[in-house]
Amino acid sequence: MSALKSFTPREVVSELDRYIVGQPDAKRAVAVALRNRWRRQQVPEELRDEIAPKNIIMIGPTGVGKTEIARRLAKLALAPFVKVEASKFTEVGYVGRDVESIVRDLVETSVALVLEEQQRAVQVRAAERAEERLLDALLPPPAPAPMPLPGEPLSLPPAPDATREKLRQLLNQRELDEREVEIELDDTGGAQTVSLFTPQGVEEMGMQFKDLLGGLLPKQTRRRRMKLPAALEALTAEEAGRLVDMDSVREQAVERVEQAGIVFIDEIDKVAVGAGAQQGADVSREGVQRDLLPIVEGSTVQTKHGAVRTDHILFIAAGAFHGAKPSDLIPELQGRFPIRVELASLTREDFLRILTEPRNSLVLQYTELLRTEGVELEFEEEGIIALADIAARVNQDTDDIGARRLHTVMERLLEELSFEAPDIGPAHCLVDKAFVHKRLLGLVEDQDLSRYIL
């Protein structure tokens, strides 16, 4: 958690601005929530456990950046993050996933995160050990000399093998990259085929059963033939896994989930129940809310890596709330999400910025994709403005799907060029206003057709 010290709310918002256009209120809310995590670590220990995270509900139409804000925040904080959809869960006793699987998935994500960090820390030692194993495969060490008989002179140990050092030099100079070698690797594929299907907790029971078998059966190895760079990479990964203490990984992963975990619950409005609905599927939806409540409030969930307390996990819920309101959630759950943020629909000006400003802008993505085929795309400003106009117009005339409309429009615009690119060789294509109108304007004006194509 000390890594969060350098990120002030203003810096977090600035970092989010590099990837997400607009929505300043939502960015400020998550930036303050992230900073509060660091602040909580600085208060006296007796007060630390009393400070609960201020969970957030984001309200806004699809495609305006709700999920991306949460995902970028988690990546910035190096925090375990899991995105779930509330509509996939059902009340205990119904067919579907139980809500505790959210925490189990979060722990698995955290274990993978910590394991990657620790393997990166031992990468140098792992590479050294992998190199020795690879040299052993290329040039097996000589058999030990037999013990001399009584009366025979004691033979001196052989001098360091000059051939081995020469091979090491050639290996480091990458002069043996095309050579193949046969190596022995741990066989981890067999245990992965064992799984159990149960009404509840299918993931947990399946994992425990596989671990049980893995402990009872002897470890299997398999011989593989591959080129030297691939062999060195496989051996390095295996040695890094052996150098890491998995008990320490599990402890740190659980600790990180409890102190820094972020859960993004999408489509929370789909489990909201109106005032007059109290039967059939509506009962199950309210049951999902009541099952979510203990986890959001703070409870202990058993996982294969140990018990996990959810008291300080940050929950960010999101929904369009077209047919429901936040007040349709049960009062207890409403109280656990004290911060409400409304995200605005995207305008023509927002589309224009999305096409050009972010580091991963769509214009840059398509330019680089087609450059791999030798086709140079050049977007004129008037062409980009025309694209933004068309996306905004289609959203207004049909369904508002936010920035996702830009993906549809761009794909349609460049469909023919993407198909022909491998055959036309080096070429230059200017995307101006006339190019955009020629390919898209007819579809936009025919509303019936645009509903199916754009």
Side-chain angles (χ1 to χ4, degrees):
M1 296 298 293
S2 59
L4 299 183
K5 182 175 181 179
S6 58
F7 292 110
T8 65
R10 193 179 302 278
E11 289 169 340
V12 172
V13 171
S14 176
E15 184 67 21
L16 293 175
D17 282 341
R18 297 167 68 186
Y19 299 96
I20 303 156
V21 169
Q23 315 305 353
D25 293 342
K27 291 174 182 175
R28 289 169 66 94
V30 298
V32 170
L34 186 63
R35 185 64 175 182
N36 279 339
R37 297 210 146 174
W38 175 80
R39 291 167 178 159
R40 178 178 160 270
Q41 297 298 316
Q42 314 308 313
V43 303
E45 192 169 347
E46 61 272 12
L47 185 61
R48 195 175 300 164
D49 284 343
E50 305 299 324
I51 300 176
K54 305 301 184 287
N55 299 320
I56 303 167
I57 287 186
M58 295 185 184
I59 305 166
T62 183
V64 296
K66 301 187 294 292
T67 306
E68 191 64 16
I69 286 173
R71 184 179 287 117
R72 293 287 176 185
L73 182 77
K75 189 175 292 188
L76 183 64
L78 298 178
F81 172 81
V82 66
K83 173 184 179 291
V84 299
E85 295 184 7
S87 55
K88 288 186 177 180
F89 297 95
T90 60
E91 186 180 2
V92 173
Y94 287 74
V95 176
R97 299 192 73 189
D98 65 305
V99 294
E100 288 190 354
S101 64
I102 297 173
V103 181
R104 292 196 291 269
D105 291 345
L106 189 62
V107 173
E108 292 298 332
T109 302
S110 183
V111 167
L113 193 65
V114 175
L115 181 60
E116 183 184 354
E117 290 175 2
Q118 295 208 3
Q119 286 182 341
R120 206 160 43 234
V122 299
Q123 194 70 18
V124 174
R125 288 173 57 200
E128 292 173 354
R129 293 171 60 164
E131 185 179 279
E132 296 301 326
R133 285 179 63 184
L134 190 57
L135 290 172
D136 288 343
L138 289 168
L139 184 70
M147 291 296 294
L149 296 174
E152 289 186 1
L154 184 65
S155 59
L156 295 174
D161 193 344
T163 307
R164 186 181 180 90
E165 294 306 314
K166 179 64 175 176
L167 275 175
R168 189 192 307 275
Q169 183 180 355
L170 293 173
L171 183 65
N172 291 333
Q173 292 173 352
R174 304 185 67 87
E175 294 184 16
L176 303 175
D177 283 3
E178 296 303 314
R179 184 170 172 178
E180 290 191 345
V181 65
E182 192 174 79
I183 57 173
E184 196 170 85
L185 298 171
D186 291 340
D187 187 4
T188 57
Q192 294 175 358
T193 60
V194 182
S195 58
L196 285 179
F197 296 92
T198 58
Q200 300 293 338
V202 55
E203 312 87 355
E204 191 64 23
M205 292 191 68
M207 287 291 185
Q208 290 175 346
F209 190 62
K210 286 186 284 189
D211 291 346
L212 177 64
L213 284 184
L216 292 176
L217 298 176
K219 183 171 288 188
Q220 300 290 325
T221 60
R222 59 195 169 98
R223 299 191 69 82
R224 288 191 59 192
R225 190 166 189 83
M226 56 180 70
K227 291 189 176 182
L228 288 187
L232 186 60
E233 185 178 341
L235 290 171
T236 302
E238 188 171 286
E239 289 297 330
R242 292 176 178 176
L243 288 169
V244 168
D245 179 7
M246 283 308 298
D247 289 335
S248 171
V249 168
R250 293 187 187 98
E251 290 174 7
Q252 290 186 41
V254 169
E255 174 73 12
R256 192 173 294 192
V257 165
E258 292 180 340
Q259 303 301 328
I262 299 175
V263 173
F264 183 80
I265 306 176
D266 204 3
E267 296 184 349
I268 191 71
D269 55 318
K270 302 299 188 297
V271 297
V273 182
Q278 287 297 328
Q279 59 183 357
D282 297 311
V283 176
S284 177
R285 287 202 289 268
E286 184 171 329
V288 173
Q289 295 183 59
R290 297 198 179 279
D291 289 344
L292 278 171
L293 188 59
I295 295 178
V296 178
E297 283 182 334
S299 62
T300 301
V301 176
Q302 294 297 330
T303 73
K304 62 176 285 190
H305 301 292
V308 177
R309 291 178 55 204
T310 66
D311 302 66
H312 300 289
I313 294 176
L314 176 66
F315 289 86
I316 302 175
F321 288 97
H322 289 312
K325 313 182 289 294
S327 58
D328 289 332
L329 297 169
I330 59 175
E332 299 91 333
L333 195 61
Q334 291 181 49
R336 290 295 168 177
F337 288 87
I339 301 176
R340 311 277 176 86
V341 180
E342 188 167 354
L343 286 81
S345 296
L346 299 177
T347 64
R348 169 187 172 277
E349 287 70 26
D350 292 329
F351 284 139
L352 195 57
R353 294 178 59 197
I354 290 170
L355 283 169
T356 56
E357 287 187 11
R359 292 183 62 184
N360 56 343
S361 70
L362 280 179
V363 167
L364 179 62
Q365 289 179 34
Y366 281 93
T367 302
E368 293 299 326
L369 280 173
L370 287 173
R371 183 171 289 157
T372 62
E373 302 277 9
V375 177
E376 289 292 331
L377 271 183
E378 181 185 347
F379 283 84
E380 279 195 351
E381 185 178 353
E382 291 297 321
I384 295 175
I385 292 173
L387 276 171
D389 284 337
I390 288 174
R393 180 174 168 184
V394 175
N395 265 357
Q396 182 178 355
D397 293 343
T398 59
D399 295 319
D400 186 358
I401 60 171
R404 294 187 179 95
R405 184 71 68 188
L406 286 173
H407 291 270
T408 310
V409 169
M410 288 287 283
E411 280 295 325
R412 188 67 186 177
L413 176 73
L414 300 173
E415 180 184 26
E416 183 178 342
L417 184 60
S418 296
F419 184 84
E420 300 289 346
D423 303 319
I424 61 178
H428 178 268
C429 179
L430 179 66
V431 181
D432 55 8
K433 185 175 182 179
F435 182 90
V436 173
H437 284 179
K438 178 182 176 182
R439 282 164 172 75
L440 297 178
L441 199 58
L443 294 175
V444 174
E445 291 175 348
D446 187 339
Q447 288 196 20
D448 291 333
L449 198 56
S450 67
R451 287 181 181 274
Y452 292 97
I453 296 178
L454 294 179

